[in-house]
Amino acid sequence: MFKPTVGPIIGHTTTNHARIFLRGELQNNAPVFAGIRYRRPGEERWSHGVFAKLTIVRDMSDVIALNDLATDTEYEYQAGWFSPMSPVHTVETIQELPLQWPRDIYRFRTQSSKATIPRAYIVGSCRYLRMTAGIPSAPHLGDRIFASITNLAQQAEPPISAMLMTGDQIYVDDLNLFAPDREYKEILSKYRTAFSQPNIAKLMSSVPTYMILDDHEIEDNWPVNESKSDAYLYKNAIAAYELYQASHSPAHELLSSGQINRKLEHYWYQFTEGDIEWFITDSRTRRNLSANDRRILDKEQEQALCKWLIHSPARVKFVVTSVMFYPDRKAHGDDAWRAFPEQRLRLLEIIRTHGIKNVIFVSGDVHGSLTSRLSHSEDPHFEVHTIVSSPLCNSKLLPYAKASTFILDKALARTTTGDYNHELTSKVVSEDNFAHIVVTEGEIHVTYRDRNGKPLQSATIALR
């Protein structure tokens, strides 16, 4: 067996289930299979291999589901791919072959079933990795921050439950003015290169990683900049996104058979860990730009989000939106929630009128990091916070955000029942960084760290 050409990537992980993405390589017309075997550390015997047949339709990649795992348990696993001598082999018959597994051993941990224990997460976005003619330019610059995240994950207490990558994991349009990528094979190559750099590969092989797209997975400021010829680009970009980012997420339903439903209804999804829940929105591909019904989230998604906000018993509710919920930017704000004020106000009124506590909006996009608090002039019980983390690696062509980037001197929204006012609760970080979020019984502690893992600043959000 050979090492995966991309992966393994640990995706959605629960108390007894884990999804692992990996890619092999095309072998002329011969069949190709990928496999995973696992055990608890200290055990001599490995599990039976769990296999999948790889096809060119999925770029020789697949997601293997591990089921019936033990709760709050560390596992070690091996992953690889091979092409058997006989062309008639199936997923069932290759189980009997005496395989030589790759030596690399990876580790992951299932969730704890305890509801109220402290939990920790990493949040980041906007990882720029320039490629020219299919070749990455100085790829170590876009990869080095992941070594620092891995180092933190190896010693953090509480342990890191997951990495949330909230948009712009790749830049399909990094050379948009000169040589934009539009072909499917070019975009796939960009994903393979971006996700197989050594540091990010090591991190994703052990820490469950949840992703959602933003505009650069397609084109800058999509769909405002969409042209008639972009249908071809969108088809190719979104097909690659589904393979490399959505495939290992909870957007795919787990069937009663233990297999993953290949049908994908939408890109937004939810996941739960103890008394903490996450709702990952798709704030990019379901926009409606018409004047009479402007929406950043489609009706179905808005209804699902509101239902979740009102009825979920979670103590802490994180809402991920790849573009900023607030504060608004002075320039270029029309690509974010600022351009959809009616829908934003509807969500805020839902939260306020239902007395929903501990709602945190998490985003990236702006190439600057901050925390902020939203209050209501006539309702002292209303409070919403935002955590923004961006970028993991900036381009020299793009500026970092700073405090003067944002509109901070007037209300976010004015209504007949009062004003929604906001304030920064941290300084604005204007360098490459990631957020380390720790949720305890009484507070959320946010620490922004630079590319070397050094703390830049911290903020505390009191839970109610």
Side-chain angles (χ1 to χ4, degrees):
M1 295 180 75
F2 302 97
K3 291 177 60 175
T5 57
V6 182
I9 298 173
I10 296 286
H12 180 44
T13 302
T14 70
T15 55
N16 59 6
H17 167 80
R19 304 178 185 192
I20 304 179
F21 170 98
L22 71 169
R23 181 182 183 273
E25 196 69 79
L26 184 65
Q27 299 293 297
N28 297 318
N29 292 320
V32 177
F33 295 87
I36 289 171
R37 65 177 184 175
Y38 59 95
R39 66 186 179 189
R40 303 185 199 195
E43 293 180 346
E44 289 189 17
R45 298 190 62 175
W46 293 93
S47 70
H48 291 296
V50 184
F51 296 95
K53 187 173 184 179
L54 306 182
T55 67
I56 192 63
V57 174
R58 298 182 62 83
D59 192 38
M60 305 307 292
S61 73
D62 212 332
V63 175
I64 293 177
L66 306 184
N67 299 303
D68 300 320
L69 302 174
T71 300
D72 194 14
T73 300
E74 185 179 44
Y75 285 91
E76 57 185 25
Y77 70 101
Q78 292 177 307
W81 65 275
F82 70 104
S83 182
M85 298 289 290
S86 170
V88 299
H89 271 299
T90 66
V91 168
E92 289 74 29
T93 62
I94 59 172
Q95 304 242 9
E96 308 304 322
L97 296 179
L99 299 172
Q100 185 71 39
W101 289 78
R103 290 185 177 182
D104 289 341
I105 295 178
Y106 313 95
R107 287 177 173 80
F108 72 91
R109 191 174 195 90
T110 54
Q111 283 187 21
S112 169
S113 60
K114 297 177 181 177
T116 59
I117 62 173
R119 303 183 192 269
Y121 305 90
I122 300 294
V123 173
S125 65
C126 306
R127 183 272 188 109
Y128 189 80
L129 186 73
R130 174 180 288 175
M131 292 182 66
T132 306
I135 300 173
S137 174
H140 65 282
L141 299 179
D143 192 46
R144 59 187 173 184
I145 198 168
F146 297 106
S148 300
I149 298 173
T150 299
N151 290 337
L152 177 64
Q154 289 173 341
Q155 58 188 343
E157 185 57 45
I160 304 299
S161 294
M163 167 88 172
L164 281 296
M165 302 184 77
T166 64
D168 297 342
Q169 278 66 259
I170 70 161
Y171 281 65
V172 168
D173 59 342
D174 60 351
L175 292 174
N176 228 18
L177 296 177
F178 309 104
D181 287 333
R182 302 182 66 84
E183 299 299 327
Y184 187 48
K185 64 178 182 180
E186 295 172 343
I187 300 172
L188 289 175
S189 176
K190 188 157 287 186
Y191 271 105
R192 294 177 203 144
T193 301
F195 287 176
S196 61
Q197 296 302 310
N199 293 325
I200 192 174
K202 183 177 181 180
L203 174 66
M204 294 195 300
S205 70
S206 60
V207 176
T209 304
Y210 295 82
M211 304 174 179
I212 194 64
L213 81 169
D214 199 20
D215 54 341
H216 292 290
E217 270 86 0
I218 309 165
E219 181 180 71
D220 184 39
N221 204 359
W222 182 271
V224 170
N225 291 342
E226 180 181 7
S227 64
K228 291 183 179 179
S229 63
D230 278 343
Y232 181 73
L233 163 66
Y234 181 78
K235 175 185 175 183
N236 291 334
I238 215 67
Y241 167 76
E242 290 183 0
L243 285 182
Y244 280 88
Q245 298 199 54
S247 63
H248 45 83
S249 79
H252 286 275
E253 178 190 11
L254 185 66
L255 302 174
S256 58
S257 64
Q259 300 299 309
I260 298 171
N261 187 353
R262 299 297 182 193
K263 189 176 182 181
L264 191 60
E265 299 288 348
H266 45 68
Y267 301 141
W268 47 270
Y269 59 88
Q270 300 161 235
F271 70 93
T272 301
E273 189 181 23
D275 58 2
I276 299 169
E277 291 190 6
W278 294 78
F279 193 113
I280 317 297
T281 68
D282 170 13
S283 57
R284 185 57 66 176
T285 73
R286 298 290 188 97
R287 297 187 179 197
N288 186 342
L289 303 181
S290 63
N292 61 345
D293 187 26
R294 289 183 62 82
R295 292 177 171 273
I296 195 169
L297 309 179
D298 58 287
K299 289 183 179 179
E300 180 189 6
Q301 188 176 180
E302 181 182 348
Q303 290 171 357
L305 176 57
C306 290
K307 182 178 179 181
W308 173 78
L309 284 168
I310 295 168
H311 297 292
S312 166
R315 181 174 61 97
V316 180
K317 299 177 181 179
F318 288 106
V319 182
V320 173
T321 164
S322 57
V323 294
M324 284 186 67
F325 193 68
Y326 79 91
D328 293 332
R329 282 195 284 180
K330 295 176 182 176
H332 311 298
D334 288 347
D335 190 39
W337 282 84
R338 176 185 174 184
F340 304 87
E342 294 87 359
Q343 190 172 47
R344 177 167 63 181
L345 184 58
R346 285 199 300 271
L347 290 179
L348 292 177
E349 287 288 276
I350 285 286
I351 295 169
R352 188 182 69 81
T353 57
H354 285 83
I356 304 170
K357 297 179 180 180
N358 303 328
V359 178
I360 317 294
F361 285 89
V362 178
S363 61
D365 182 54
V366 296
H367 293 227
S369 294
L370 59 92
T371 62
S372 59
R373 175 180 178 269
L374 190 67
S375 59
H376 191 273
S377 63
E378 306 303 321
D379 187 345
H381 302 292
F382 171 85
E383 184 176 277
V384 162
H385 291 264
T386 186
I387 300 172
V388 181
S389 181
S390 167
L392 291 162
C393 178
N394 204 4
S395 163
K396 293 181 179 179
L397 303 175
L398 298 173
Y400 290 101
K402 48 196 177 193
S404 60
T405 302
F406 304 102
I407 303 171
L408 301 171
D409 58 350
K410 59 182 179 182
L412 184 73
R414 298 184 184 279
T415 72
T416 55
T417 58
D419 298 345
Y420 285 95
N421 299 309
H422 57 298
E423 59 181 339
L424 294 182
T425 52
S426 74
K427 295 180 180 178
V428 177
V429 176
S430 302
E431 60 181 278
D432 291 358
N433 72 96
F434 64 93
H436 177 204
I437 300 173
V438 178
V439 185
T440 66
E441 183 178 357
E443 64 185 26
I444 299 173
H445 191 71
V446 184
T447 303
Y448 292 108
R449 297 178 179 269
D450 68 12
R451 65 172 68 101
N452 296 315
K454 179 182 177 182
L456 295 169
Q457 67 162 305
S458 298
T460 298
I461 301 169
L463 296 175
R464 297 178 297 151

